[in-house]
Amino acid sequence: MSNLAGRPIVLVGMMGTGKTSVGRVIADRLGIDFHDLDQEVERRSGKAVATIFAEQGEEAFRALESDLLGEILSRANSPVVVSTGGGIVTIAKNREMLTDPTLNVVLLEASIDEILGRLSDDDVRPLLRGDRRSALESLWRSREADYRLVAKFVVQTNGLSVAEVAQAVLREIQVAA
Ligand code: S3P
C-alpha cells in the first residue's frame, strides 16, 4: 500500500462524476490527507465558486484554481488525494502539472444522463445555466481529449455507489503499482 499511497491521487472529470465524495472516501480509506480544490478556493477567497464566477469571471476563478493546484502538488511529497473541479484541464499549465508521471491521475466518467440524474434541481454550478443537457454535452465534447490526455486511469461510474467507485479507483491504481 505504501507505493500506492505514496503517489498523489488526483481525480479529474466532469461535474457530477463524484470526484469530491469519492476522493474523501479514498483518503479516509488510505488514512491520508484530502484536498478538494473548489472547497479550498472558496475557503481562501471567502466566496462561493458561483460568486467568484459572477463577480470576477471565469478567468479569475481559473487563476485561483491553478495557483492552488500548483501549491498542493508541490507540497505533495506526503501522500494526498486531490479532487479537482471539472474545468481543471482547460488550462494548459494545469495539464502540464497533471501529466507529471509521478501522479496517479484518475478520470471518473459518467454518461450525460447519469450526471443529469445526480445533479440537484437547485444546483448552482455557474456553467450549467439554461439547457443542462446541451451545456454538459458541449463541455464534454470540448474537454474529453484533455481529460484523456492527463488521465493515467479511467474509471466508469455509471450506476455505482461512491464506495464502489472508490474501490474501483484503488483497484486500478493497485493493479498498475
Ligand atoms: C466547473 C466545475 C465545478 C467548479 C466550477 C467550474 C467546470 O467543479 O469548479 O463550477 O468548469 O466544469 P465540479 O466539477 O466539482 O462540479
Side-chain angles (χ1 to χ4, degrees):
M1 211 55 146
S2 60
N3 183 20
L4 150 66
R7 289 176 170 209
I9 297 171
V10 183
L11 302 181
V12 302
M14 291 281 284
M15 49 187 107
T17 53
K19 301 179 298 287
T20 300
S21 319
V22 169
R24 193 170 287 126
V25 169
I26 293 173
D28 271 0
R29 211 168 281 177
L30 297 177
I32 60 180
D33 284 349
F34 172 62
H35 295 275
D36 180 80
L37 278 190
D38 280 349
Q39 286 171 6
E40 295 197 16
V41 164
E42 291 186 334
R43 200 173 310 134
R44 181 170 286 193
S45 63
K47 290 178 183 172
V49 169
T51 309
I52 303 173
F53 266 73
E55 290 181 357
Q56 295 159 260
E58 179 170 352
E59 217 174 299
F61 171 76
R62 297 292 170 212
L64 293 169
E65 192 182 38
S66 226
D67 286 351
L68 207 51
L69 178 68
E71 274 179 42
I72 292 170
L73 292 182
S74 67
R75 278 192 268 119
N77 39 17
S78 56
V80 71
V81 180
V82 184
S83 291
T84 62
I88 200 78
V89 295
T90 61
I91 303 295
K93 188 170 134 203
N94 298 346
R95 293 196 294 274
E96 209 173 293
M97 288 191 255
L98 292 173
T99 42
D100 177 336
T102 67
L103 300 177
N104 280 321
V105 178
V106 184
L107 168 61
L108 299 188
E109 272 196 355
S111 67
I112 302 293
D113 281 330
E114 178 91 11
I115 294 174
L116 284 168
R118 287 180 192 168
L119 295 173
S120 66
D121 288 344
D122 55 358
D123 196 280
V124 293
R125 287 176 175 84
L127 296 181
L128 279 193
R129 300 254 160 74
D131 179 349
R132 287 181 167 192
R133 179 178 295 277
S134 53
L136 285 167
E137 282 169 353
S138 127
L139 288 173
W140 174 248
R141 266 198 306 276
S142 65
R143 293 174 177 176
E144 179 182 2
D146 288 328
Y147 286 136
R148 297 202 188 284
L149 174 82
V150 301
K152 213 184 252 182
F153 307 100
V154 180
V155 169
Q156 264 302 338
T157 71
N158 286 343
L160 299 184
S161 68
V162 168
E164 287 168 333
V165 176
Q167 193 55 47
V169 170
L170 290 172
R171 202 182 312 119
E172 282 287 323
I173 293 174
Q174 250 159 342
V175 166

